[in-house]
Amino acid sequence: MSVWNQENIVDVAESVGIASLSKDVQEHLARDVEYRISQVLEEALKFMRHGKRTTLHTQDVSQALRLLDVEPLYGYESTRPLRFGEASIGPGQPLFYVEDEEMDFEKLINAPLPKVPREMSFTAHWLAVEGVQPSIPQNPSTADQRSQELLPKGGAASQTLAALSGAEGVTVKPLIKHVLSRELQLYFERICDAMLSPKPSSDEYRATALASLRSDPGIHQLIPYFVQFVADKVTHNLKSLPTLTASLSLIAALLDNPSLYLAPYVPAIVPSVLTCLVGKSLGTPSIDGATTHFALRDYAASLISALTRKYASSSSTLKPRIARSCLKHFLDSHKSFGTHYGAILGLTLLADAEGVRALILPNLKAYDAVLAEGLKDDGKREAAETVLGAIMRALGLLAKETGGIGAVNGFPEGDALKERLGDVVGDVVAAGVVEAGDTRIIAAVLDKGVL
Amino acid sequence: MANSNGSRAKANPSNDTVANSRGGQVLEYLSKKGYSRTEAMLRKESQNTDPEGRPIPSNREGSQKYKIALDLTISWLDTVLDVYKPELKRLLWPLFVYSFLELVNEHFGQDSQHFFANYRGLFEAEHEDDVRALAPVSLPEHVKEDSVAQLYLKNKYRLTISQLAFVAILQFLESKEAQGGATIITLFNTYLDIRTVDRAAAGNERSLARLLSKQNGDADVPAEDEGIPGHHPGSANLDRNAPSVLSKLSLGPMPMEPDLMEDVKAELQDHDITHPPTNGQSSLIDEFEQRIKREPIDDVPSRETLPLPPSTARDVAMEVQRIKENRDRFRITGRTGGVGPGISVTMFTFHNTFDSVNCIEFAGDNNLVAVGTSESYIRVWALDNSPLTSPTDPADFQPSSSRRLIGHSGPVYALSLAPSIATSSPPQTNGHTNGTSIPSATPETRSRYLLSSSADCTIRLWSLDTWSNLVVYKSHSAPVWDVRFSPFGHYFLSSSADRTARLWSTPHIAPLRLFVGHDSDTECVAWHPNGAYVFTASGGADRTVRMWSIQQGGAVRLFTGHTGNITSLACAGTGKLLASADDRGEILLWDLATGRLVKRMRGHARGGIWSLDWSVESSVLVSGGADGTVRVWDVAPNKDAGGKVISEGGAGTKVDAAGGVAKGKKKDVVVSADQISAFPTKKSPVYKVRFTEMNLVVAGGAYLP
């Protein structure tokens, strides 16, 4: 008959002191209870809809009861789904109840506080750029999308029918979304050729290509292809310095072009440049010489700083992300000196004096050991010295900023000074600092020691 | 109670009951006087009447008669001519509902449940909500209380079918009168309001091809004038004999105040001199003239209809900026040649929300985002991470880029920020220009006020200067679902579960207008861009969109055709079209002047399209919803909307206006050809989409892994 069990009605009636209910009344009441419940549910669904949810919460039900002028049920407010226990009060008579754990008061008080839920926050990304969805981690991958049917399928299915009826507005979706004109394709090929051409005579060719990239206003469509090209070349040609340099200059040229809008592609560009900055071993020492890769790193660092200067305002996470990755490489003592050099350079250019003070200076003491070891080893001395140079330059920034007025009022001289510096930045750097003899640097470093 | 015992007793009234009634007295009299033959005759006749002398319906059927009648109709519909089928099928739903309600009313509780279970499958696709609402009704008391049942009983279900089809079914029913035809005819007469039209006169809409294509199309949908609040298409007059003349609307933009116009002109002239337009750009003053000139004179509302406070320097600055952006924006010129315009969408995803976000609202100047939560508070962020300061902050307070507004005592369901516009003033105030072009201080054009509505039946006005509550508006007697500022600020409209929508002005704590007429919750509201009209939509059993005139306070248009709860509304910037979306994933476009449906657009999955917005040129519509997609739609009416029949005679096939509707595995995935593009998000339902003045789409959603 009705879904609601009539025995429930009898039980409730007995509990309020009505001993006997006629069958008719029972049935009538059971149906009425059922109707009332569905009425409450209808109202509760309304609250769920306006809460823009797809699951019904206990709160919705109490809101619905309130709207229907009924005292809401207390004690069921929970964001977690309720657990129901089952008990048997007789054969075939299960009784369901909400499982409510018994809590020991003592235990509850002494228990550590639960973790504070994480704060609500928001992030921004491009869901679509000029009608095309960029493939960035924030957007679902194409594999995810395949399960959804997003675009009208009918266009193809009923094309003939549509043509029959003479409907002109029939859409024929091109198979690929971007159609590059023949000219653009040729242009792309030529530029790539010029970039990769190994002949020394091609320098002029390359210069022309770069000049074109720097000024041509009509190559916006090609940007993703260029970005992809660079990423590809960088990943596969870590041993070839000319290729890496050419790739970086391609990016630099694109950055210079005033009519291009690169902001959506910055996240795709940064990894390639970072690789050139902090890559473990770039180039082949036997051909290029042991230290030429430092020049490439310098170039990459300047590119990074140009990128961040230009696009930090449009992406608030750009700078912190790059800085974090540089710092990680700097702190990893197993990496080569080249990597350390790149990381220090990146941090210096990215974060200025503030960054040097906060990120580099505190870690120099720990880095000292690595540096000292490198200087002892003949094979690595040159590289270690370059790194030392980079550190000195970074410290130089500090000096410029503080202007020599520090918290330390005067400082000892000679060995005592060296010792105190050594406490802060380690012996090797301390020696360098003393050698440089710039009082402002000394002041800035000691300042740190005091703080 | 309502069991068959009772009915049997009723069907065969015993002589005792006859004797007790008035008829019984007559019989007594006759037997006393010895008129035995007359007495016998009377006895025989009174077999068929109840104690009050009314005829008892010949009741072999009893509870079964509706089932028999409906079965008869359904089986006949299978054999009827194809031409009539689609039209006549529309009759089944009202017949089903009224049969069911009759059964319940006649205390056939058990049989009514069987009846309902038997046929509900036929209607679940189209009338899901009504079926669900009616299912538990099993007692006459419920019928009296249930809002859906009452809606059906108090109104006549209106249906338009062509003359020939109606005659065909009537003839059939009359021929089968004894087998149940009479029951159906009674239902027709009592509950239905059937309009017949001449097929030829109705034109293409009822042509054979059209009907056929509808039939093999995915779902048959109710016609515009079908349903409970049946009406002349578009007209808000529900009187059965209402004239089919529509009231005239003034849909043009609100004219500008003359003073304001002068000021804006002067300002633009100054700007043109200091920043001469580059090549290919028109000067700002030309742009402005064009904008004013474009207005036709006849359909413009007069300023007197809507008193607004006198304009301020802020209004001038906003208007100037609007002209500038109008000139410099990215133009979207509708779909040309199959490929849609390339639209850029910025998505703001909220994390760690635990599904507590109810609504998201972006400020017109793109500097603020406000979120209403089910935990009764409102949170506002600066999108550029700048600190939100207040003059009342204590000296050592470190302002962060977000603020909480606490005051409501129930979930916050809607927010609305006062109109604002981003100015390019920051570089100017930094001293880059010579300063002569700008008046001493650029007036602020950011949003200074925020409205919120909540389940605690109140609407609150918040100041975004001091970050505090200014006014509490109490008048609604049920949760307030939606609230929206007028396009000019000052006024706002709210809608509530008490079935009303109310118009307020910010300085008054009592509503200025009450818009009453919806038969269930008024779920969402929208403003006409000229501020002289408002739109409300309701869910539940009503499912209508109504357009109200603020000046007259009455409904001027009514739109029916939705099959689900309406979840959002948006009126085009040109003021000619209205888009409404429901939780079954359909978007309907309406022509306001004629009050007719322009087209239906499908693509969203079920679960609600929570936000709609039009591009500045009104050429493109963007929508976002529970299925976690942002979709872009072509709003141009379908070219072959006239329903041209190709191939004369024989099987006329026609591709329906909704051209490429394809049948997927489920009905959920039908995408109509009007969709230009769809951008899925990563597990983030989209709560809000908005076109900026420069035609960039800003979307907001919550990441729900």
Side-chain angles (χ1 to χ4, degrees), chain A residues 391-411:
Chain A
I391 294 178
M392 290 311 295
R393 239 176 301 153
L395 292 179
L397 266 185
L398 277 186
K400 255 184 246 161
E401 195 228 9
T402 51
I405 305 149
V408 183
N409 222 349
F411 36 80

Side-chain angles (χ1 to χ4, degrees), chain B residues 195-222:
Chain B
R195 305 291 173 110
T196 52
V197 290
D198 191 359
R199 185 187 293 279
N204 283 326
E205 212 179 314
R206 291 188 180 273
S207 69
L208 177 62
R210 180 93 174 175
L211 294 172
L212 283 177
S213 68
K214 236 187 215 168
Q215 193 185 12
N216 51 33
D218 45 351
D220 52 346
V221 287

Side-chain angles (χ1 to χ4, degrees), chain A residues 113-144:
Chain A
L113 286 175
K115 261 200 221 150
V116 179
R118 300 176 84 182
E119 176 115 85
M120 206 196 293
S121 63
F122 68 89
T123 55
H125 72 271
W126 287 102
L127 188 67
V129 178
E130 301 195 353
V132 180
Q133 193 160 26
S135 54
I136 47 175
Q138 288 93 330
N139 287 331
S141 63
T142 39
D144 298 340

Side-chain angles (χ1 to χ4, degrees), chain B residues 133-457:
Chain B
L134 288 173
V137 174
S138 58
L139 296 171
E141 294 92 273
H142 298 161
V143 174
K144 282 200 192 70
E145 260 179 57
D146 195 84
S147 57
V148 179
Q150 278 305 305
L151 202 59
Y152 275 93
L153 288 177
K154 281 193 184 144
N155 295 284
K156 289 192 163 195
Y157 195 92
R158 174 174 163 141
L159 194 65
T160 308
I161 51 181
S162 61
Q163 187 95 49
L164 287 173
F166 191 54
V167 169
I169 192 167
L170 276 188
Q171 275 173 356
F172 164 74
L173 291 174
E174 275 163 16
S175 71
K176 297 275 180 188
E177 201 164 357
Q179 287 101 306
T183 319
I184 302 282
I185 293 178
T186 318
L187 286 178
F188 276 1
N189 293 338
T190 345
Y191 294 116
L192 268 72
D193 172 15
I194 294 176
R195 305 291 173 110
T196 52
V197 290
D198 191 359
R199 185 187 293 279
N204 283 326
E205 212 179 314
R206 291 188 180 273
S207 69
L208 177 62
R210 180 93 174 175
L211 294 172
L212 283 177
S213 68
K214 236 187 215 168
Q215 193 185 12
N216 51 33
D218 45 351
D220 52 346
V221 287
E224 261 172 86
D225 61 343
E226 180 185 332
I228 271 305
H231 63 297
H232 294 287
S235 164
N237 193 340
L238 289 182
D239 190 342
R240 284 193 64 187
N241 304 312
S244 56
V245 185
L246 297 180
S247 52
K248 198 177 162 311
L249 301 177
S250 313
L251 298 175
M254 183 67 82
M256 248 186 197
E257 210 180 335
D259 288 352
L260 179 64
M261 200 179 317
E262 287 309 309
D263 286 349
V264 170
K265 249 186 213 169
E267 183 88 357
L268 288 172
Q269 226 143 24
D270 277 350
H271 200 273
D272 272 341
I273 293 163
T274 50
H275 302 85
T278 53
N279 281 349
Q281 265 184 336
S282 55
S283 71
L284 289 172
I285 197 84
D286 288 346
E287 187 83 27
F288 183 57
E289 297 285 353
Q290 225 179 11
R291 215 173 134 115
I292 305 172
K293 231 179 271 168
R294 220 173 32 199
E295 302 163 6
I297 311 302
D298 58 333
D299 68 343
V300 177
S302 79
R303 285 197 72 81
E304 284 79 61
T305 59
L306 190 71
L308 283 166
S311 60
T312 59
R314 175 185 154 97
D315 294 319
V316 178
M318 280 177 72
E319 206 51 50
V320 168
Q321 182 63 21
R322 199 162 286 148
I323 300 290
K324 275 194 226 165
E325 295 193 343
N326 196 46
R327 179 184 68 178
D328 300 340
R329 72 174 188 271
F330 170 72
R331 263 157 236 278
I332 297 179
T333 47
R335 172 142 71 169
T336 42
V339 184
I343 294 196
S344 301
V345 185
T346 316
M347 173 90 190
F348 288 90
T349 313
F350 286 82
H351 302 271
N352 309 322
T353 59
F354 306 105
D355 215 351
S356 67
V357 170
N358 284 353
C359 53
I360 297 176
E361 194 69 31
F362 294 99
D365 60 358
N366 302 319
N367 274 335
L368 292 178
V369 58
V371 164
T373 66
S374 58
E375 272 116 50
S376 312
Y377 69 88
I378 300 156
R379 200 153 170 198
V380 186
W381 279 271
L383 284 177
D384 56 357
N385 269 331
S386 61
L388 300 175
T389 52
S390 148
T392 55
D393 282 341
D396 57 342
F397 182 77
Q398 275 237 324
S400 73
S401 64
S402 101
R403 288 252 179 187
R404 276 200 177 91
L405 302 175
I406 299 170
H408 279 296
S409 61
V412 180
Y413 288 118
L415 296 171
S416 180
L417 282 148
S420 59
I421 195 161
T423 50
S424 46
S425 54
Q428 291 175 336
T429 47
N430 286 349
H432 282 285
T433 53
N434 47 20
T436 48
S437 68
I438 343 162
S440 51
T442 342
E444 277 210 296
T445 54
R446 63 190 186 82
S447 292
R448 294 184 59 202
Y449 301 104
L450 170 73
L451 279 170
S452 62
S453 74
S454 156
D456 61 9
C457 312

Side-chain angles (χ1 to χ4, degrees), chain A residues 174-415:
Chain A
L175 282 176
I176 33 166
K177 277 186 183 147
H178 254 298
V179 182
L180 285 179
S181 68
R182 184 93 192 106
E183 289 79 9
L184 276 178
Q185 288 179 26
L186 270 178
Y187 179 86
F188 180 71
E189 271 166 35
R190 287 283 171 80
I191 296 275
C192 294
D193 271 358
M195 285 298 137
L196 297 179
S197 172
K199 280 173 279 179
S201 64
S202 63
D203 276 357
E204 204 174 315
Y205 190 21
R206 195 172 301 153
T208 323
L210 289 177
S212 163
L213 283 178
R214 223 168 266 139
S215 55
D216 200 321
I219 52 171
H220 200 273
Q221 273 196 303
L222 284 176
I223 296 177
Y225 295 88
F226 279 127
V227 170
Q228 181 59 39
F229 173 76
V230 168
D232 199 44
K233 289 298 158 214
V234 169
T235 6
H236 293 111
N237 293 294
L238 283 176
K239 295 275 169 240
S240 158
L241 278 184
T243 312
L244 293 179
T245 319
S247 304
L248 287 186
S249 37
L250 196 158
I251 292 203
L254 287 178
L255 271 178
D256 281 349
N257 192 328
S259 46
L260 295 186
Y261 179 61
L262 280 183
Y265 304 99
V266 167
I269 294 175
V270 166
S272 309
V273 184
L274 264 184
T275 311
C276 292
L277 180 66
V278 297
K280 200 165 179 185
S281 57
L282 300 171
T284 330
S286 52
I287 305 169
D288 305 317
T291 51
T292 15
H293 64 94
F294 286 114
L296 176 73
R297 292 181 200 273
D298 282 344
Y299 191 24
S302 68
L303 258 185
I304 284 276
S305 101
L307 267 173
T308 47
R309 250 204 318 278
K310 213 163 160 192
Y311 297 109
S313 54
S314 61
S315 159
S316 56
T317 56
L318 180 66
K319 258 185 162 179
R321 270 202 335 256
I322 299 179
R324 204 175 304 134
S325 123
C326 282
L327 190 62
K328 206 177 84 199
H329 284 103
F330 174 47
L331 296 181
D332 189 343
S333 58
H334 299 293
K335 291 273 163 66
S336 72
F337 278 115
T339 303
H340 293 149
Y341 174 80
I344 292 170
L345 210 56
L347 284 175
T348 323
L349 287 176
L350 205 62
D352 246 6
E354 194 51 47
V356 173
R357 183 175 302 123
L359 300 176
I360 300 186
L361 206 49
N363 298 314
L364 280 180
K365 174 95 177 142
Y367 188 63
D368 190 56
V370 183
L371 210 50
E373 199 180 306
L375 285 173
K376 263 181 242 152
D377 187 339
D378 276 346
K380 290 187 190 162
R381 176 167 305 143
E382 210 174 346
E385 269 167 6
T386 325
V387 175
L388 187 57
I391 294 178
M392 290 311 295
R393 239 176 301 153
L395 292 179
L397 266 185
L398 277 186
K400 255 184 246 161
E401 195 228 9
T402 51
I405 305 149
V408 183
N409 222 349
F411 36 80
E413 284 181 18
D415 286 346

Side-chain angles (χ1 to χ4, degrees), chain B residues 644-666:
Chain B
K644 192 166 52 171
V645 187
I646 32 120
S647 106
E648 304 285 333
T653 45
K654 197 205 126 277
V655 178
D656 185 46
V661 173
K663 202 160 195 172
K665 281 158 268 164
K666 278 185 264 161

